[in-house]
Amino acid sequence: MMERKKFSQFKNKALENPEVREEYEKLQQKYELKTKLISLRKMNGLTQEELAKKLHTQKSNISRLENVNSKISPRLSTIEEYAKAMGYNLEINFIPQN
Amino acid sequence: MMERKKFSQFKNKALENPEVREEYEKLQQKYELKTKLISLRKMNGLTQEELAKKLHTQKSNISRLENVNSKISPRLSTIEEYAKAMGYNLEINFIPQN
DNA sequence: TATAAAGTTCTCATATATGATAACTTTAGT
DNA sequence: ACTAAAGTTATCATATATGAGAACTTTATA
């Protein structure tokens, strides 16, 4: 708990730096999408292999897509198909910064 | 006015057909994104050329990106950068299909 | 702790998006 | 109708995502 508080304080301080903040938000966003993809799949009780089959591709490709560390920026259509395979549509919004 | 009503009735009838409906929604979505991109740019009072400069690219590429008819499915990062250049962040949501 | 299932990583081939330039068309203002 | 600005289209080169297969690591469970 003490650790958590300390870190939290440090984080807030660091985020006052615009460059750090920007970098952080960029990561947050990437993390968000990948995270959403993964939880969407798990919510539907699918393994990577099962989803891969639905999409006529390989489990290794699903893994790559879901990998938070990969530098790949997927095509919109790829995300769309992933979502469709589980019964979802994509919605894209533009949010003003600050 | 008469024309509009007739068309509207036809449209609703046609949308009861699942295949037609799916095709329609697909188009709607594509249209939506491109439309959002265009209005975002215009809201910020930018020409394609001006935006291109901000993004260190050419106006022809902006035109291609905004072109509703093109079969290109852009990278997520491309849309992101377009938005960022005008002070917006991307938000992506998964909407259950019915 | 052995085993199977699930997920990851690497690599190469292929498909597709993006960058750049030029010529063309449309639109707006006079 | 003329002109300039804005937008479009075509094309080729380059960058990057995706497909596929194999070997590897992690996780869960008996």
Side-chain angles (χ1 to χ4, degrees):
Chain A
M1 185 51 182
M2 186 53 183
E3 283 307 315
R4 277 182 63 79
K5 184 156 188 209
K6 265 192 188 161
F7 176 69
S8 171
Q9 283 173 345
F10 166 74
K11 198 180 79 175
N12 288 336
K13 193 75 185 176
L15 288 183
E16 287 170 16
N17 177 332
E19 284 187 29
V20 174
R21 182 184 189 84
E22 191 180 332
E23 205 51 37
Y24 176 75
E25 285 176 349
K26 212 181 295 171
L27 286 174
Q28 270 296 95
Q29 279 187 305
K30 275 184 192 168
Y31 186 68
E32 246 188 63
L33 174 66
K34 301 296 178 71
T35 300
K36 280 182 185 176
L37 286 177
I38 296 171
S39 49
L40 205 61
R41 177 172 60 78
K42 293 197 167 159
M43 274 174 44
N44 283 66
L46 295 174
T47 65
Q48 290 183 346
E49 195 163 17
E50 287 166 335
L51 179 55
K53 196 157 200 173
K54 276 176 183 278
L55 290 167
H56 307 292
T57 183
Q58 315 309 123
K59 65 176 182 168
S60 56
N61 298 328
I62 302 293
S63 177
R64 181 172 54 193
L65 185 67
E66 291 182 350
N67 178 4
V68 181
N69 298 319
S70 100
K71 296 157 202 160
I72 285 179
S73 184
R75 274 184 250 149
L76 222 47
S77 60
T78 303
I79 305 296
E80 228 167 45
E81 284 162 19
Y82 187 110
K84 287 260 170 68
M86 291 179 295
Y88 291 79
N89 283 319
L90 267 196
E91 178 189 71
I92 298 181
N93 295 316
F94 297 98
I95 313 293
Q97 292 173 339
N98 301 336
Chain B
M1 186 52 181
M2 187 51 184
E3 283 307 315
R4 278 181 62 80
K5 184 155 187 209
K6 263 190 189 164
F7 175 69
S8 169
Q9 283 173 345
F10 166 74
K11 199 180 78 175
N12 288 336
K13 195 74 185 176
L15 288 184
E16 287 169 16
N17 177 334
E19 286 189 29
V20 174
R21 182 185 188 84
E22 190 179 335
E23 206 51 37
Y24 176 75
E25 286 176 349
K26 211 180 296 171
L27 285 174
Q28 271 295 96
Q29 279 188 303
K30 275 184 191 169
Y31 186 67
E32 246 188 63
L33 175 66
K34 302 296 178 72
T35 299
K36 281 182 184 176
L37 286 177
I38 296 172
S39 48
L40 205 60
R41 177 171 61 78
K42 293 197 169 160
M43 273 173 45
N44 284 66
L46 295 173
T47 65
Q48 289 184 346
E49 196 163 17
E50 288 166 335
L51 179 56
K53 198 156 201 176
K54 276 178 184 278
L55 290 167
H56 307 294
T57 184
Q58 316 309 123
K59 64 176 184 171
S60 57
N61 298 327
I62 302 294
S63 177
R64 180 173 54 194
L65 184 67
E66 291 182 349
N67 179 5
V68 181
N69 297 321
S70 100
K71 295 156 202 160
I72 285 180
S73 183
R75 275 184 249 151
L76 222 46
S77 60
T78 304
I79 305 295
E80 230 167 41
E81 285 161 19
Y82 188 111
K84 287 261 171 66
M86 291 179 295
Y88 291 79
N89 282 318
L90 266 196
E91 179 188 72
I92 299 182
N93 295 316
F94 298 98
I95 313 292
Q97 294 172 338
N98 298 341

